[in-house]
Amino acid sequence: MSKWKKITVALSVGIMMLTLAGCGGSAKQETAAKPADKKIVLGFSQIGAESEWRTANTESIKASAQAAGIDLKFSDAQQKQENQIKAIRSFIQQKVDVIAFSPVVETGWDAVLQEAKTAKIPVILTDRSIKMSNGKAEDYYVTFMGSDFVEEGRRAGKWLVDFMKKDKEPVNIVELQGTVGSAPAIDRKTGFEEVLKQNANYKIIKSQTGDFTRAKGKEVMESFLKSAKADGQKIDVLYAHNDDMAIGAIQAIEEAGLKPGKDIIIVSIDGVKGAFEAMIAGKLNASIECSPLLGDQLMAAAKDLVAGKTIDKRIVTKEGVFPAEVAAKELPNRKY
């Protein structure tokens, strides 16, 4: 080959390489396309393992990551925000492709999410939302996938009012709230109270956090029962922000010599197997579904982001309401 032919070939190859490089990036994500033979790296910070729901959520994410061929960097925050912030900063340092997390509480994410934004790493919120003090929260994440917690609260309230529609006497309700400051605790209370405002004979007489755990649910329910007895009040209904707290409260009710599901009507949220078993036993009256099986959705979103695709800002999970009368039929279908 002559000298001039070699130069011509070299120039042609150079132009081809520049053209390919120009086609490979995504203007929306401001990152280069990932080579096909390289695994997507997803950093995920989980709240902890406070309930059956959370355990199922973790299992769904891990199994879906493996099935999708995604390299999952998983961190358990043990219900502490400082651990989640530390994990997210670690993901940024590792230059993962996508960061996802389920926030322990709504606020306090300003600095670390600004760092992720500066690093041009897309952030996905799963299960819980956030609030920011330094701008619109939507500017700091690409999508929020999960349930509509306000609607879950509404469904619990609507089920209760319909179930007790013949009862025109005052209905005294005690409420086991979720973790203070968390999105589900705030929103499930909001939705439930929205329905009660339309029904004057329903009143929440006591409300306290049970931190989404069985042990705390039992402890707080014991306190509710003792306090009501001392005040000469009758507890007609227990509304629990999750099934685990309700199951803990059932133990307290039984130990007090009362029949859960009969002496005290119980409605809770999540739809875990334990709740269905309690309904079949006649100890729980209804569970409002909140699906933890977000793994497939999360992996699909991560792949789309790395590919430079635009995804919906809000992805809502489809869910239902399960009263005790359908529990036996539905239990075999439950995956969590």
Side-chain angles (χ1 to χ4, degrees), residues 192-228:
F192 189 72
E193 290 183 342
E194 184 182 298
V195 175
L196 296 193
K197 287 176 183 177
Q198 303 166 24
N199 298 272
N201 59 317
Y202 290 79
K203 182 182 178 182
I204 296 175
I205 59 171
K206 298 181 189 300
S207 182
Q208 187 176 324
T209 180
D211 213 21
F212 285 129
T213 68
R214 290 193 188 192
K216 192 69 175 178
K218 181 176 185 291
E219 178 186 322
V220 176
M221 191 65 203
E222 287 171 344
S223 175
F224 284 165
L225 290 164
K226 289 176 183 177
S227 179

Side-chain angles (χ1 to χ4, degrees), residues 47 77-85 104 109:
I47 291 173
Q78 298 179 331
Q79 294 185 283
K80 294 181 180 179
Q81 184 179 33
E82 57 266 33
N83 290 344
Q84 285 200 302
I85 291 173
V104 177
W109 306 104

Side-chain angles (χ1 to χ4, degrees), residues 158-188:
K158 289 174 182 176
W159 175 87
L160 178 63
V161 171
D162 183 64
F163 183 77
M164 303 187 72
K165 58 188 174 185
K166 294 180 181 179
D167 195 338
K168 301 302 179 183
E169 298 296 319
V171 177
N172 291 335
I173 304 167
V174 294
E175 177 184 33
L176 282 169
Q177 295 185 48
T179 303
V180 174
S182 69
I186 294 167
D187 293 349
R188 287 170 182 172

Side-chain angles (χ1 to χ4, degrees), residues 46-51 54-55 58 74-79 84:
Q46 180 61 284
I47 291 173
E50 78 282 3
S51 64
R54 189 63 55 190
T55 300
T58 292
F74 185 89
S75 177
D76 184 337
Q78 298 179 331
Q79 294 185 283
Q84 285 200 302

Side-chain angles (χ1 to χ4, degrees), residues 25-318:
S26 167
K28 293 175 183 176
Q29 294 303 322
E30 298 182 5
T31 57
K34 199 169 185 68
D37 60 340
K38 295 288 185 180
K39 275 190 173 185
I40 293 171
V41 181
L42 169 66
F44 184 83
S45 175
Q46 180 61 284
I47 291 173
E50 78 282 3
S51 64
E52 282 186 50
W53 192 99
R54 189 63 55 190
T55 300
N57 181 238
T58 292
E59 290 173 353
S60 172
I61 289 166
K62 288 182 176 180
S64 295
Q66 185 175 8
I70 288 176
D71 183 3
L72 179 67
K73 305 293 184 184
F74 185 89
S75 177
D76 184 337
Q78 298 179 331
Q79 294 185 283
K80 294 181 180 179
Q81 184 179 33
E82 57 266 33
N83 290 344
Q84 285 200 302
I85 291 173
K86 183 178 178 181
I88 293 170
R89 286 196 168 122
S90 174
F91 297 150
I92 294 170
Q93 290 172 357
Q94 294 176 62
K95 297 181 180 180
V96 302
D97 298 300
V98 179
I99 291 172
F101 74 112
S102 183
V104 177
V105 293
E106 284 191 328
T107 59
W109 306 104
D110 300 55
V112 73
L113 291 190
Q114 180 58 58
E115 291 167 26
K117 188 174 183 179
T118 300
K120 297 179 181 178
I121 300 175
V123 173
I124 296 174
L125 296 182
T126 68
D127 174 42
R128 299 183 179 187
S129 61
I130 59 169
K131 290 180 180 177
M132 303 285 279
S133 62
N134 60 355
K136 291 183 179 179
E138 291 81 4
D139 294 338
Y140 293 86
Y141 63 84
V142 290
T143 188
F144 165 39
M145 59 178 60
S147 306
D148 183 334
F149 298 134
V150 175
E151 181 58 29
E152 288 171 354
R154 288 193 196 107
R155 287 173 181 168
K158 289 174 182 176
W159 175 87
L160 178 63
V161 171
D162 183 64
F163 183 77
M164 303 187 72
K165 58 188 174 185
K166 294 180 181 179
D167 195 338
K168 301 302 179 183
E169 298 296 319
V171 177
N172 291 335
I173 304 167
V174 294
E175 177 184 33
L176 282 169
Q177 295 185 48
T179 303
V180 174
S182 69
I186 294 167
D187 293 349
R188 287 170 182 172
K189 183 174 183 65
T190 298
F192 189 72
E193 290 183 342
E194 184 182 298
V195 175
L196 296 193
K197 287 176 183 177
Q198 303 166 24
N199 298 272
N201 59 317
Y202 290 79
K203 182 182 178 182
I204 296 175
I205 59 171
K206 298 181 189 300
S207 182
Q208 187 176 324
T209 180
D211 213 21
F212 285 129
T213 68
R214 290 193 188 192
K216 192 69 175 178
K218 181 176 185 291
E219 178 186 322
V220 176
M221 191 65 203
E222 287 171 344
S223 175
F224 284 165
L225 290 164
K226 289 176 183 177
S227 179
K229 186 176 181 180
D231 296 340
Q233 291 180 310
K234 181 181 183 295
I235 297 174
D236 301 301
V237 175
L238 164 64
Y239 167 48
H241 287 193
N242 83 337
D243 293 333
D244 278 75
M245 289 190 295
I247 292 168
I250 285 170
Q251 290 180 275
I253 293 168
E254 289 180 320
E255 289 174 7
L258 298 172
K259 292 182 178 180
K262 294 181 176 63
D263 295 327
I264 298 177
I265 301 303
I266 304 173
V267 56
S268 58
I269 297 175
D270 271 358
V272 300
K273 284 183 179 178
F276 281 79
E277 290 165 353
M279 284 191 282
I280 292 169
K283 299 178 181 181
L284 180 69
N285 302 91
S287 183
I288 313 304
E289 186 176 29
C290 178
S291 177
L293 307 179
L294 305 179
D296 288 346
Q297 283 181 317
L298 176 57
M299 300 313 144
K303 285 185 175 182
D304 284 346
L305 287 171
V306 172
K309 296 179 182 178
T310 300
I311 61 177
D312 292 338
K313 199 71 178 180
R314 182 71 171 96
I315 301 172
V316 180
T317 309
K318 293 181 179 179

